[in-house]
Amino acid sequence: MVFCQVFSGIIYYFTFLFNQVGQLRTSSHLQLRPGQENAKQCDTDNNRVTHGVNKCTVNNTIEKSLYSASRESLKMEPLADCSLLPGEERIIDKDIIYICPFSGALKGKVFITNYRLYFKSTDADPAVTLDVPLGAIGRVEKMGGASSRGENSYGLDITCKDMRNLRFALKQEGHSRRDIFDILFKYAFPLSHGLLLFAYLSQEKFEENGWSVYKPMEEFRRQGLPNDKWRVTFINANYELCDTYPTILVVPFKATEEDLRKVCTFRSRGRIPVLSWIHRENQAVICRCSQPLVGMSGKRNKDDERYLDLIREANGTAKLTIYDARPSVNAVANKATGGGYEGDDAYQNAELVFLDIHNIHVMRESLKKLKDIVYPNVEESHWLSSLESTHWLEHIKLVISGAIQVADKISGGNSVVVHCSDGWDRTAQLTSLAMLMLDSHYRTLRGFQVLLEKEWISFGHKFANRIGHGDKNHADQDRSPIFVQFIDCVWQMTKQFPTAFEFNERLLVTILDHLFSCRFGTFLFNCERARDTNELRSKTVSLWSLVNSDLSFYQNPFYTPESNRVLYPVASMRHLELWVTYYIRWNPRIRQQQQSPVEQRYIELLALRDEYLKKLEELQLSDSSPNSSHLSNSSTPNAASPTQHITHLHTPF
């Protein structure tokens, strides 16, 4: 028994140590490698980054080893032939020249499967490899013509959705370019050619079933719903009320089904105000919806006005705050197309606040400008002014600032309604970020998955239109990085609160990689109705199956659970950073400094704690056996206490 007490004391000692270390805030700094012009000289140890999509794996063990070994698809090290995923088939392979923006022209062989483009150089040591999911390709163009005479001027230009471009040169003899172009175009854009997305062909198996992560009724019960003020309705069970909403909705208890149908006619796309989240103590709620159909004539709808009043009365809010994500000029302009906003004369018990967040077109152009200054070369001479000219961080600031206002109102006991134009882009950003600030459950690994499934996937963010899965129309005006922008906002919060989130940066990058890859069904289609029609859950694998089969890989070692803490990030340009490890990860001259000594010490202490726990368990088992009775008999009343033993311990660090 004495040995057990000693080891218990040791564990308490180390628990105190890593709790102290865990309070320290760490951050990683990235910098350019001076004088490094040839990517082949790049130290591969400095090329580490999460790459959830571009891993030649079949299981999580291989995924983990590849993460630690590589920073990107462009790997400056020897690599064996790529292992195909279950369901992946090789289509063609061809000798080709890769025009690497960092190493110059490289001869090699390209392999195209129904899932990826894989290139391996033959004239470079170490070999250069590329591993690109076809879903990440946004555009394929022919480069040069029959009359092209310049060296490597005849080939293919490939624009990717993940902040990089690829260029390949081919010989002009025969039909070498036509063959590879036709195959690449066909399998990169399967829906445009009557083919299935790879997620429907994949035969991967995982220990966890990711489709069971989000169960609407369980999530509402966790929030304390239904109650005497709010009820669950199944009026949309067959998507008859709103075809872009989920089947299960929470609405004011006093609102009848007929009320909901009448309100539906006055809201864009039929997206009526419904509850997203409720504060357990003050009962203030976050509701989301689309704009009212006011039009140029200033139409009113008594049912809609009364419905918003029911939301206000549910917790006795003096005035309901309506957050319109748009700039006021845009909201007024939308009247010309039949939309509009809630006027003071019609909604007298509400106050309207415009958050000045720009539309999908502005965000798309902003990210394009950001790509121009970070790929392939980082604009060093005027970096700060170039970054400012993209306005990307300015947009990030406005989104976070808007979410802070929503969270602050809720904390003060006032209910809010959030909408933009149609309620599936900026609205989702604001509600989910506010819920992340207010509810610590969503800051856990599984809770964050629930948040994405609930506020983004089930409530109809148009992933298919915004990303363009399998669609060749690269100029589609519906494409926009709204979800990428949201994940960037989450990353900004994790930097400001390094101990508040159970998940790490790897999870965020993995989510964005598979947003494009089409390897999983999680982000496919625009709404639940389309997913049901296409039997998504029975025919594809969820991304959360991959993540939850190896949770430790995505865990933040500094995480400290705090159940009632509300996070208020600083939405100031001085406190926002460019997410270098995502936006500039393809540049091999960008290197991350070695792991923080504090973080390294913390991880070592965690490992040591696990080791002592294991030893303690073994001692307890042996102590309870009959053969160990002599140990307890030999102990003396004057034996040193665990505390006395601990004072003589020295850590090996």
Side-chain angles (χ1 to χ4, degrees):
M1 293 300 292
V2 171
F3 291 116
C4 292
Q5 292 173 339
V6 169
F7 276 102
S8 296
I10 291 173
I11 289 168
Y12 296 148
Y13 172 75
F14 280 106
T15 300
F16 170 79
L17 277 181
F18 63 68
N19 278 341
Q20 293 300 309
V21 175
Q23 301 304 313
L24 299 176
R25 177 175 177 175
T26 65
S27 61
S28 299
H29 302 282
L30 290 107
Q31 61 186 27
L32 284 172
R33 249 184 176 174
Q36 187 79 30
E37 294 303 322
N38 192 327
K40 288 185 286 187
Q41 301 173 6
C42 186
D43 180 1
T44 56
D45 287 340
N46 293 328
N47 289 338
R48 293 178 177 169
V49 76
T50 305
H51 200 101
V53 175
N54 298 338
K55 298 183 178 71
C56 312
T57 66
V58 177
N59 54 49
N60 289 331
T61 303
I62 303 177
E63 285 227 26
K64 187 184 294 185
S65 65
L66 278 181
Y67 175 88
S68 61
S70 67
R71 168 192 160 91
E72 55 191 21
S73 289
L74 179 61
K75 306 181 185 72
M76 304 300 179
E77 62 180 6
L79 186 69
D81 286 340
C82 181
S83 300
L84 301 183
L85 296 169
E88 184 179 3
E89 298 176 357
R90 181 174 292 183
I91 307 298
I92 190 176
D93 58 86
K94 188 175 288 290
D95 291 328
I96 204 167
I97 296 174
Y98 168 48
I99 313 301
C100 178
F102 313 109
S103 304
L106 298 169
K107 292 181 180 179
K109 186 177 284 289
V110 67
F111 301 89
I112 297 177
T113 73
N114 56 350
Y115 171 67
R116 79 183 85 216
L117 178 153
Y118 180 78
F119 169 83
K120 183 176 181 180
S121 67
T122 55
D123 63 348
D125 186 21
V128 173
T129 63
L130 285 171
D131 189 348
V132 185
L134 298 184
I137 293 176
R139 185 177 185 178
V140 182
E141 292 181 299
K142 293 178 180 178
M143 173 181 69
S147 59
S148 298
R149 291 292 178 265
E151 186 180 8
N152 300 326
S153 61
Y154 181 84
L156 297 174
D157 263 328
I158 300 173
T159 304
C160 297
K161 302 171 184 176
D162 57 4
M163 303 294 288
R164 57 179 165 168
N165 297 329
L166 308 173
R167 175 172 286 191
F168 294 99
L170 295 110
K171 296 178 180 179
Q172 296 187 19
E173 297 82 22
H175 300 291
S176 60
R177 183 174 72 174
R178 186 174 69 185
D179 293 344
I180 194 170
F181 175 83
D182 290 345
I183 288 174
L184 190 58
F185 204 77
K186 177 180 179 180
Y187 287 96
F189 313 117
L191 295 185
S192 297
H193 296 87
L195 301 176
L196 293 173
L197 293 166
F198 179 75
Y200 281 89
L201 304 174
S202 174
Q203 298 174 18
E204 286 187 276
K205 304 294 181 184
F206 294 94
E207 298 174 2
E208 294 277 333
N209 176 18
W211 295 124
S212 64
V213 162
Y214 174 55
K215 296 177 180 177
M217 286 307 302
E218 286 187 8
E219 171 58 17
F220 285 131
R221 289 193 190 100
R222 185 192 69 83
Q223 295 184 31
L225 297 166
N227 57 29
D228 60 347
K229 300 294 184 181
W230 296 90
R231 67 182 181 88
V232 175
T233 177
F234 300 95
I235 190 174
N236 202 42
N238 296 316
Y239 305 105
E240 293 176 353
L241 183 75
C242 175
D243 60 1
T244 60
Y245 262 6
T247 56
I248 300 175
L249 303 171
V250 174
V251 297
F253 191 85
K254 294 181 179 179
T256 66
E257 306 295 78
E258 187 58 30
D259 291 334
L260 302 181
R261 293 187 182 93
K262 290 177 180 178
V263 174
C264 173
T265 64
F266 193 66
R267 289 283 165 174
S268 178
R269 315 282 182 174
R271 295 172 68 90
I272 66 172
V274 292
L275 183 146
S276 278
W277 189 81
I278 186 169
H279 195 290
R280 274 189 173 272
E281 295 175 5
N282 61 38
Q283 297 294 293
V285 299
I286 298 175
C287 288
R288 60 180 295 170
C289 61
S290 60
Q291 65 181 335
L293 301 178
V294 176
M296 292 296 291
S297 61
K299 288 185 292 186
R300 293 180 58 173
N301 184 297
K302 294 293 184 182
D303 297 296
D304 190 77
E305 295 166 20
R306 178 177 173 275
Y307 184 79
L308 289 192
D309 226 31
L310 291 178
I311 294 174
R312 180 188 64 81
E313 292 173 354
N315 81 321
T317 298
K319 266 207 169 184
L320 180 68
T321 303
I322 302 172
Y323 285 106
D324 190 324
R326 303 167 292 183
S328 57
V329 175
N330 295 25
V332 173
N334 277 5
K335 283 189 172 184
T337 56
Y341 54 91
E342 294 84 357
D344 295 337
D345 53 340
Y347 299 86
Q348 297 180 0
N349 292 322
E351 61 172 337
L352 181 64
V353 179
F354 292 105
L355 297 176
D356 296 324
I357 303 170
H358 289 280
N359 61 30
I360 61 171
H361 312 296
V362 173
M363 302 308 177
R364 180 179 59 248
E365 294 306 313
S366 179
L367 189 63
K368 280 183 180 178
K369 291 178 182 178
L370 179 61
K371 181 177 179 179
D372 288 341
I373 69 167
V374 300
Y375 190 90
N377 299 310
V378 176
E379 175 58 62
E380 294 185 66
S381 56
H382 303 92
W383 168 249
L384 292 178
S385 59
S386 296
L387 180 59
E388 183 183 11
S389 68
T390 70
H391 300 292
W392 183 252
L393 289 181
E394 183 181 331
H395 297 315
I396 294 289
K397 169 194 169 184
L398 288 171
V399 174
I400 294 177
S401 177
I404 291 172
Q405 292 183 57
V406 173
D408 191 49
K409 276 288 181 185
I410 294 295
S411 293
N414 297 309
S415 292
V416 304
V417 171
V418 182
H419 71 71
C420 46
S421 296
D422 292 316
W424 49 43
D425 289 314
R426 289 165 284 191
T427 301
Q429 289 178 327
L430 292 168
T431 57
S432 51
L433 284 172
M435 291 159 66
L436 201 61
M437 296 172 191
L438 291 162
D439 194 335
S440 60
H441 173 67
Y442 297 127
R443 303 195 285 266
T444 66
L445 253 166
R446 291 185 182 269
F448 188 64
Q449 297 168 29
V450 169
L451 181 68
L452 299 188
E453 288 280 348
K454 181 178 182 297
E455 288 301 295
W456 288 87
I457 297 170
S458 76
F459 269 103
H461 175 66
K462 299 171 68 175
F463 283 104
N465 288 41
R466 299 291 178 257
I467 307 303
H469 295 127
D471 182 11
K472 67 180 181 181
N473 186 11
H474 62 85
D476 188 349
Q477 292 300 298
D478 271 349
R479 301 215 181 161
S480 188
I482 299 300
F483 186 72
V484 174
Q485 190 177 55
F486 161 72
I487 294 294
D488 193 332
C489 292
V490 175
W491 179 82
Q492 301 287 347
M493 289 180 62
T494 64
K495 294 296 288 183
Q496 293 192 27
F497 301 98
T499 65
F501 295 84
E502 187 184 17
F503 52 86
N504 56 27
E505 184 186 46
R506 295 173 186 170
L507 178 70
L508 301 180
V509 178
T510 298
I511 287 171
L512 290 186
D513 281 341
H514 290 301
L515 172 68
F516 304 119
S517 75
C518 297
R519 177 178 163 188
F520 300 100
T522 304
F523 300 116
L524 301 183
F525 302 107
N526 286 332
C527 59
E528 291 292 81
R529 182 178 184 177
R531 295 182 188 101
D532 289 349
T533 301
N534 291 278
E535 304 177 80
L536 185 82
R537 285 172 177 79
S538 61
K539 293 186 176 180
T540 71
V541 178
S542 168
L543 170 59
W544 314 130
S545 299
L546 167 73
V547 172
N548 294 336
S549 293
D550 191 6
L551 285 173
S552 62
F553 187 53
Y554 304 99
Q555 285 177 336
N556 170 22
F558 293 105
Y559 174 59
T560 305
E562 294 178 280
S563 58
N564 296 317
R565 184 185 181 191
V566 178
L567 304 183
Y568 288 114
V570 180
S572 163
M573 295 297 287
R574 292 185 299 108
H575 290 82
L576 299 179
E577 305 174 35
L578 180 67
W579 189 5
V580 174
T581 46
Y582 179 72
Y583 296 117
I584 319 184
R585 57 181 169 156
W586 308 122
N587 190 327
R589 293 190 292 273
I590 295 291
R591 70 176 180 85
Q592 189 169 7
Q593 289 186 349
Q594 290 185 342
Q595 193 175 38
S596 160
V598 176
E599 184 176 351
Q600 183 63 35
R601 173 72 63 86
Y602 193 86
I603 292 173
E604 289 172 351
L605 287 171
L606 287 174
L608 195 60
R609 181 198 64 173
D610 292 340
E611 181 183 340
Y612 277 115
L613 281 171
K614 185 177 179 181
K615 288 183 179 179
L616 175 61
E617 186 177 347
E618 292 173 354
L619 279 172
Q620 287 174 331
L621 288 173
S622 63
D623 198 40
S624 61
S625 64
N627 296 332
S628 61
S629 58
H630 69 280
L631 291 175
S632 57
N633 292 334
S634 63
S635 60
T636 65
N638 297 323
S641 68
T643 305
Q644 291 173 314
H645 281 283
I646 291 172
T647 57
H648 301 290
L649 283 177
H650 298 282
T651 69
F653 307 120

